[in-house]
Amino acid sequence: EDQVTQSPEALRLQEGESSSLNCSYTVSGLRGLFWYRQDPGKGPEFLFTLYSAGEEKEKERLKATLTKKESFLHITAPKPEDSATYLCAVPPQGGSNYKLTFGKGTLLTVNP
Amino acid sequence: EAQVTQNPRYLITVTGKKLTVTCSQNMNHEYMSWYRQDPGLGLRQIYYSMNVEVTDKGDVPEGYKVSRKEKRNFPLILESPSPNQTSLYFCASSLTGFGMNTEAFFGQGTRLTVV
């Protein structure tokens, strides 16, 4: 049973065209939601951690928000260098600190 | 520079020939883990380690072994590789455990092909 679902699977934007990526989770008692960026052929790179509903974090053109059931990664006026796969992840139910359960990711392509 | 280093980056091998993928981190992290990434399946945890000589299975441990004899190193061993182990492998480390208030650092990946 998937605990993390990301949508859309792929998103193609024009440079400057703002949009949002979605990550919904079914884990109860959330102990953090993590966003990572992954470039082709490279390891995931940490972006944000969110812990409570209503929390927001920003980094350059990216802003991550969290509700009780989902998280959004808002991309404002994206540039081609923002093209990557964006992954969200949560610690699993049950209190384990030894893993992250990842969604399958959203492949973002920003055309110039 | 803080980093997780995996070797080799690319490997093509034959079924049944034992291989080891090395992973080393220079951040004195206690927690380390191996993931594999497959199209349509995402990242899945193979094994993890909480400290030296302490390891445990993740979600997909079959066909893999690990060891943690030193804090900085966490090699992944495939005793008898099979084609279904063809995948992109990532090693990761974290100071206080994945999912805690610290980020996880990932290596650059090892693309393994078993023919």
Side-chain angles (χ1 to χ4, degrees):
Chain A
E1 178 183 342
D2 288 339
Q3 294 180 307
V4 182
T5 304
Q6 292 188 246
S7 62
E9 290 186 10
L11 180 63
R12 189 177 295 271
L13 301 174
Q14 288 298 123
E15 184 172 2
E17 179 187 1
S18 301
S19 188
S20 296
L21 314 182
N22 177 264
C23 172
S24 63
Y25 58 90
T26 57
V27 174
S28 60
L30 185 70
R31 295 175 294 113
L33 186 139
F34 298 74
W35 281 99
Y36 284 82
R37 169 190 171 127
Q38 185 176 22
D39 292 305
K42 295 190 176 182
E45 181 181 342
F46 173 79
L47 291 173
F48 304 109
T49 309
L50 302 166
Y51 286 100
S52 56
E55 187 175 1
E56 298 183 352
K57 288 193 177 173
E58 290 188 60
K59 181 178 182 179
E60 296 182 359
R61 294 174 293 281
L62 300 176
K63 183 168 80 172
T65 62
L66 182 66
T67 72
K68 288 186 178 179
K69 291 189 180 298
E70 58 192 347
S71 177
F72 293 93
L73 185 64
H74 307 277
I75 304 175
T76 302
K79 298 181 177 182
E81 53 261 43
D82 295 321
S83 297
T85 295
Y86 291 86
L87 302 166
C88 71
V90 298
Q93 230 165 301
S96 169
N97 295 327
Y98 307 138
K99 67 175 291 184
L100 290 174
T101 298
F102 284 85
K104 294 182 172 60
T106 294
L107 174 60
L108 174 66
T109 304
V110 182
N111 295 316
Chain B
E1 180 189 355
Q3 60 185 4
V4 178
T5 303
Q6 295 177 227
N7 280 296
R9 291 290 313 278
Y10 303 92
L11 179 60
I12 301 174
T13 190
V14 296
T15 299
K17 184 177 181 181
K18 181 179 178 180
L19 67 91
T20 299
V21 183
T22 64
C23 174
S24 180
Q25 50 93 3
N26 63 359
M27 295 166 279
N28 203 36
H29 285 171
E30 291 187 348
Y31 294 86
M32 298 184 75
S33 182
W34 278 101
Y35 285 82
R36 61 178 288 175
Q37 187 174 37
D38 302 288
L41 296 176
L43 281 157
R44 295 178 293 167
Q45 190 184 52
I46 303 170
Y47 267 94
Y48 61 89
S49 171
M50 294 76 79
N51 213 323
V52 175
E53 302 291 3
V54 183
T55 64
D56 206 347
K57 298 176 181 178
D59 296 320
V60 289
E62 294 76 22
Y64 304 95
K65 286 176 58 177
V66 293
S67 69
R68 187 97 181 269
K69 293 182 169 54
E70 304 167 282
K71 199 171 187 179
R72 63 184 293 125
N73 296 323
F74 190 44
L76 179 69
I77 302 156
L78 286 72
E79 295 268 357
S80 183
S82 62
N84 65 10
Q85 292 178 297
T86 293
S87 187
L88 180 58
Y89 291 85
F90 290 102
C91 179
S93 74
S94 175
L95 180 62
T96 58
F98 306 110
M100 299 296 282
N101 192 20
T102 58
E103 64 182 278
F105 291 80
F106 284 80
Q108 69 274 46
T110 295
R111 186 167 295 280
L112 172 65
T113 302
V114 183
V115 298

